[in-house]
Amino acid sequence: MEEMKIHTAGDSSVLIEFGQEISPEINAKITAFVHLMKAQHVEGVKDMIPAFTSLLINYDPRVVNYGALKERLEKLLKLEVSQETAPSRIFDIPVCYGGEYGPDLENIAMHANLSTQEVIDIHSSEDYLIYMLGFLPGFSYLGGLDERIHTPRLANPRIKIPAGSVGIGGSQTGIYPLDSPGGWQLLGLTPVKTYDPNREIPILFEAGDYIHFVPVTEKDFLEIKEQVNQGTYECVIRQKGV
């Protein structure tokens, strides 16, 4: 088993390295440790930011010093933390694929030597693990994209990609939470707001959760969009393995 290492990261942060390899197993360890930290209410800890293979912990040095925090973390890391303490949620995200909603779907299909329907079927068949959030508020770095539909980024990035756009960039797929420049190839659009600053919890999901894309018709898309605008839409959330 790979040894976990604790490093200083400035005067009010520590970084825990859980390994070097990007994998669901290491991500599960990070997620379980985050849940343990929340349950323990470790004094002085302000927030935690998971990444692919590490966890950044920001703390208040006026409340706890580095030495005391490091000692506490070392003790917690030695505990056998069951991954069952960190139940994974699956968010079903409706997507209208192709046409004006996914202007690059045909490019993706041509690159993969597949039909557009085959691309949709492949893309919507997986539960994608959220390894980390970053780049934009609520932008999720997902793992598990089928190699058959890996697609290079655009040679000339777009100046503006609409919020909710679902794209592929190399070996990754994801959702743009805000209007943004970007070079990913777009295959669909979701009406769900994955980031809403006016919501009690602005970001819909967190690292360790999963996303499952669900194809919908344009009619369904517009109906869901109206519900989202009215504040009546509730995203379908399932427990992983249930």
Side-chain angles (χ1 to χ4, degrees):
M1 182 172 133
E2 212 162 349
E3 182 183 355
M4 291 166 275
K5 300 176 182 178
I6 301 176
H7 306 280
T8 57
D11 59 3
S12 59
S13 300
V14 297
L15 183 73
I16 305 176
E17 288 186 351
F18 285 78
Q20 299 298 320
E21 180 185 354
I22 298 173
S23 70
E25 292 75 22
I26 286 181
N27 180 265
K29 290 179 184 177
I30 296 172
T31 301
F33 190 73
V34 167
H35 282 263
L36 175 64
M37 288 284 290
K38 289 178 179 178
Q40 291 287 319
H41 302 289
V42 178
E43 187 177 25
V45 170
K46 296 166 64 177
D47 61 18
M48 294 173 285
I49 305 171
F52 280 114
T53 61
S54 63
L55 176 66
L56 182 71
I57 299 176
N58 296 319
Y59 66 94
D60 187 343
R62 297 169 298 179
V63 177
V64 61
N65 62 45
Y66 170 74
L69 179 60
K70 183 172 184 285
E71 184 178 349
R72 183 73 190 279
L73 293 174
E74 286 173 340
K75 289 179 180 178
L76 292 175
L77 286 168
K78 289 177 182 177
L79 297 177
E80 288 293 330
V81 182
S82 171
Q83 293 176 17
E84 293 178 3
T85 63
S88 296
R89 302 173 296 176
I90 303 174
F91 288 76
D92 284 346
I93 302 297
V95 178
C96 188
Y97 286 91
E100 63 181 288
Y101 302 105
D104 300 319
L105 177 59
E106 291 190 3
N107 292 340
I108 295 169
M110 288 177 60
H111 181 268
N113 197 26
L114 298 168
S115 69
T116 55
Q117 187 58 54
E118 285 173 324
V119 171
I120 294 170
D121 291 343
I122 293 169
H123 188 260
S124 61
S125 66
E126 298 287 337
D127 294 334
Y128 296 97
L129 173 61
I130 302 175
Y131 277 98
M132 59 181 282
L133 302 173
F135 169 57
L136 292 170
F139 186 92
S140 53
Y141 288 85
L142 306 178
L145 182 65
D146 193 300
E147 290 184 3
R148 289 175 292 174
I149 54 174
H150 288 187
T151 311
R153 290 167 171 79
L154 295 172
N156 297 304
R158 292 181 171 91
I159 295 175
K160 181 181 177 181
I161 290 177
S165 293
V166 178
I168 292 176
S171 61
Q172 291 189 306
T173 186
I175 308 168
Y176 282 85
L178 299 168
D179 291 349
S180 164
W184 286 23
Q185 304 228 26
L186 309 180
L187 69 165
L189 187 71
T190 179
V192 174
K193 292 182 179 180
T194 58
Y195 173 73
D196 183 351
N198 299 314
R199 205 160 46 206
E200 182 179 358
I201 302 177
I203 298 174
L204 185 60
F205 28 62
E206 58 188 38
D209 288 330
Y210 289 78
I211 288 176
H212 188 96
F213 296 110
V214 180
V216 296
T217 64
E218 183 175 25
K219 179 175 179 294
D220 291 335
F221 174 92
L222 295 174
E223 289 177 355
I224 295 171
K225 184 177 181 179
E226 182 63 25
Q227 293 173 29
V228 169
N229 292 336
Q230 293 176 357
T232 59
Y233 181 76
E234 292 187 8
C235 190
V236 175
I237 304 173
R238 300 176 283 120
Q239 290 293 329
K240 183 72 172 172
V242 175

